[in-house]
Amino acid sequence: MTIAIRKPSLGSAATAFLAKPHKLLIDGKWVDAKSGETFPVEDPATEEVIAHVPAGDKADVDAAVAAARRAFESGPWSRILPGDRSRLVWRLGDLLEQHADEFAELEALDNGKPVTNARRDDVQGSINMFRYMAGWSTRLTGETIPVSSPGNWHVYTLREPVGVVGQIIPWNFPLMMAAWKLAPALAAGCTIVLKPAEQTPLTALRFGELIQEAGFPDGVVNIITGYGETAGAALANHPDVDKVAFTGSTEVGKLIVKAAAGNLKRVSLELGGKSPAIVFPDADIDRAISGTASAIFYNQGQCCTAGSRLFAHKSVYDRVVEGVSAEAGKIKIGHGLDPNVNLGPLVSKEQHNRVRGFLESGRKEGAEVVTGGNVPGNQGYFVEPTVLANTNRDMRVVREEIFGPVVCVQSFDDDDLEAVAKFANDTEYGLQASVWTRNLKVAHMMARKIRAGTICINNHNYGDPAWPFGGYKQSGWGREMGKEVMEHYTETKAIAALH
């Protein structure tokens, strides 16, 4: 692997945005936090402070929720036609496309991810999400119901927006996770208070400007930057929020559930993962090596779906370990703004220390470091892509979510699919899994046996706006994307009329 930790120049649009004073968006106005407090935003590749944003807290959340309630109950948003709502959501995709390069640069600078990935996946994926979800505004239909009660009855249902929604998004895909939550909520007719992660607030604030440019009424989308324990907790606790949507760690997800109990607000959670990638002996091994390496090293391993548990049949185990290690060796590490970089820094010092702690734990518990395992350079939050062999389920690195570019490889020698599925399911998580085989029967039988919300066959980290995404077990509640997500943002009202 090669290392090039150099900060390339930033485009003029992104530079101009960084230079502006950053504020909260509440009721269509850009305002300071009521406390007047701010906090720094860091470039994780250089550890430089690149901006300051408001440290919003409960008082700011209260103001934002009140604005969202007014917009939902009595503002023009409450009377807008479905077709007009659809056009506004579609317009967000168009505006994002017009500013795609700027958003990719801001995401790479703020999060650390490679700018080429940000442009191809994060920005384009967000554009696609708004365009897909725009169509749902005119497709949220009820139905007439034939009933058996005596009398002349007209019984039917309506689908109505759930109301004011609090949305708390993570730092690993800041723009895309905002799009995953904003697009369906807006299409359904909800109003929103969005709280980006404190580590990566920049693209959310820039996107707030696009929301205003698109023509959304004041108060429909409000954006509060701040810390999770203050602004995030206030939003989850708020008695006038009808639903909270959260993406992040399982630990914080459990706190969200407790906070939501006060008014029994609806909750959807997309949480952690420890996803298995299973390579059968008949797989296209070259394709499996490339695919499973990407499954763990993509986005610095900071994916809830990361293929962090790699199971290879004993007959191909050595070849898979050697191949994935060779793929790791080809990776160029450096500043995310460098278009030639494949792997950027981890998002923060806290995350850097966490991953380093797992690497030390793996060594102590007897894992073999085949490649990587070190911290390159003396600046930035970088970790080498790492392959740990001879691992077992008793090790912390195998049981717990690392959220870094670290894969734990294990072999299996049983051709019984039930036994293989038992390995895959031996985790408290159940978000994604991948199966690598040429045998269609094996592929689809394994897909049925693995307890995970998304299964990939001969690929990993797949996503599409029409593909419902979410997990089993402690990987969360509910689904993002697809038609299923609209269940989170609508209520079903049943009406019975006696004639």
Side-chain angles (χ1 to χ4, degrees):
M1 63 195 75
T2 58
I3 303 169
I5 304 173
R6 176 184 60 84
K7 182 178 179 179
S9 59
L10 197 63
S12 58
T15 299
F17 175 75
L18 284 180
K20 293 168 57 173
H22 301 293
K23 298 178 182 291
L24 310 175
L25 178 60
I26 299 177
D27 204 16
K29 300 177 181 63
W30 293 97
V31 298
D32 293 322
K34 291 183 182 296
S35 68
E37 297 294 321
T38 65
F39 63 91
V41 180
E42 194 177 39
D43 174 354
T46 65
E47 303 178 46
E48 296 176 300
V49 173
I50 54 176
H52 286 82
V53 300
D57 57 22
K58 183 179 183 301
D60 305 291
V61 169
D62 287 345
V65 171
R69 178 59 62 188
R70 287 192 299 272
F72 182 75
E73 300 285 357
S74 56
W77 190 245
S78 64
R79 301 183 296 276
I80 193 170
L81 297 174
D84 294 330
R85 198 164 64 235
S86 176
R87 280 187 285 274
L88 282 170
V89 176
W90 185 280
R91 174 73 172 141
L92 287 176
D94 287 347
L95 287 171
L96 186 53
E97 188 170 54
Q98 292 173 26
H99 299 278
D101 292 338
E102 176 190 356
F103 273 89
E105 288 186 339
L106 288 173
E107 203 77 325
L109 182 65
D110 199 10
N111 169 274
K113 66 179 62 196
V115 69
T116 49
N117 291 2
R119 178 65 180 85
R120 181 193 64 223
D121 301 330
D122 301 55
V123 178
Q124 189 58 52
S126 298
I127 294 167
N128 295 344
M129 187 68 178
F130 283 107
R131 288 176 174 165
Y132 172 81
M133 286 297 166
W136 278 104
S137 294
T138 56
R139 290 168 175 79
L140 294 173
T141 59
E143 60 181 358
T144 56
I145 303 172
V147 296
S148 300
S149 306
N152 185 15
W153 292 94
H154 175 44
V155 177
Y156 62 100
T157 61
L158 299 175
R159 293 281 293 280
E160 297 182 341
V162 72
V164 176
V165 178
Q167 299 182 329
I168 303 172
I169 58 175
W171 46 256
N172 59 335
F173 291 92
L175 177 65
M176 189 185 294
M177 294 299 98
W180 280 22
K181 289 179 169 51
L182 287 169
L186 291 171
C190 299
T191 57
I192 297 155
V193 179
L194 179 74
K195 210 293 282 185
E198 54 264 35
Q199 297 89 346
T200 54
L202 296 181
T203 49
L205 293 176
R206 179 67 181 98
F207 196 73
E209 297 177 352
L210 298 193
I211 288 169
Q212 291 187 304
E213 185 178 347
F216 283 83
D218 293 347
V220 172
V221 178
N222 306 272
I223 301 173
I224 303 293
T225 56
Y227 293 104
E229 59 267 28
T230 52
L235 190 56
N237 273 294
H238 205 287
D240 206 26
V241 169
D242 300 301
K243 177 206 160 36
V244 63
F246 171 76
T247 296
S249 71
T250 296
E251 178 185 12
V252 176
K254 292 176 181 179
L255 296 177
I256 297 286
V257 172
K258 292 178 181 177
N263 67 335
L264 291 180
K265 60 174 62 68
R266 294 170 66 175
V267 176
S268 59
L269 304 169
E270 196 268 284
L271 306 175
K274 196 71 178 175
S275 300
I278 307 166
V279 182
F280 284 89
D282 70 324
D284 180 333
I285 299 300
D286 290 337
R287 181 178 178 183
I289 286 169
S290 175
T292 56
S294 175
I296 184 60
F297 301 138
Y298 175 73
N299 206 52
Q300 296 71 251
Q302 296 174 141
C303 300
C304 49
T305 57
S308 53
R309 291 186 300 142
L310 176 54
F311 296 94
H313 190 273
K314 65 177 182 179
S315 63
V316 295
Y317 176 84
D318 289 341
R319 185 177 169 191
V320 168
V321 171
E322 180 182 347
V324 173
S325 299
E327 290 293 312
K330 299 174 186 176
I331 290 173
K332 182 176 180 179
I333 303 172
H335 199 292
L337 287 174
D338 184 339
N340 297 310
V341 158
N342 312 115
L343 188 131
L346 300 177
V347 74
S348 66
K349 184 176 183 178
E350 178 184 8
Q351 186 63 15
H352 194 237
N353 289 338
R354 173 182 170 84
V355 174
R356 291 171 65 187
F358 272 109
L359 290 172
E360 182 62 26
S361 171
R363 288 186 176 98
K364 287 182 178 178
E365 292 182 334
E368 175 192 354
V369 181
V370 180
T371 190
N374 298 311
V375 175
N378 56 12
Q379 181 186 52
Y381 305 127
F382 294 92
V383 171
E384 291 177 341
T386 302
V387 177
L388 300 180
N390 297 325
T391 59
N392 61 70
R393 62 108 38 223
D394 294 325
M395 296 178 176
R396 278 188 67 220
V397 288
V398 173
R399 296 194 316 271
E400 299 180 29
E401 185 176 38
I402 299 173
F403 228 60
V406 183
V407 63
C408 299
V409 194
Q410 301 175 66
S411 67
F412 66 93
D413 59 6
D414 201 323
D415 295 325
D416 176 13
L417 297 189
E418 292 288 352
V420 178
K422 186 176 180 180
F423 283 126
N425 293 330
D426 186 18
T427 174
E428 64 190 29
Y429 300 108
L431 188 57
Q432 188 166 103
S434 61
V435 178
W436 302 80
T437 177
R438 289 187 174 97
N439 188 317
L440 286 176
K441 180 180 179 181
V442 169
H444 293 289
M445 287 184 69
M446 285 300 299
R448 287 177 177 270
K449 293 177 185 298
I450 296 172
R451 291 188 51 76
T454 54
I455 308 293
C456 297
I457 297 173
N458 296 322
N459 70 93
H460 200 101
N461 283 333
Y462 177 76
D464 186 272
W467 197 57
F469 179 85
Y472 285 25
K473 299 186 283 187
Q474 294 193 43
S475 286
W477 293 349
R479 295 294 179 266
E480 305 270 9
M481 303 193 294
K483 66 180 181 179
E484 285 79 3
V485 72
M486 302 312 295
E487 297 292 333
H488 296 314
Y489 295 106
T490 57
E491 296 276 18
T492 299
K493 179 181 286 184
I495 301 165
L498 179 60
H499 298 291

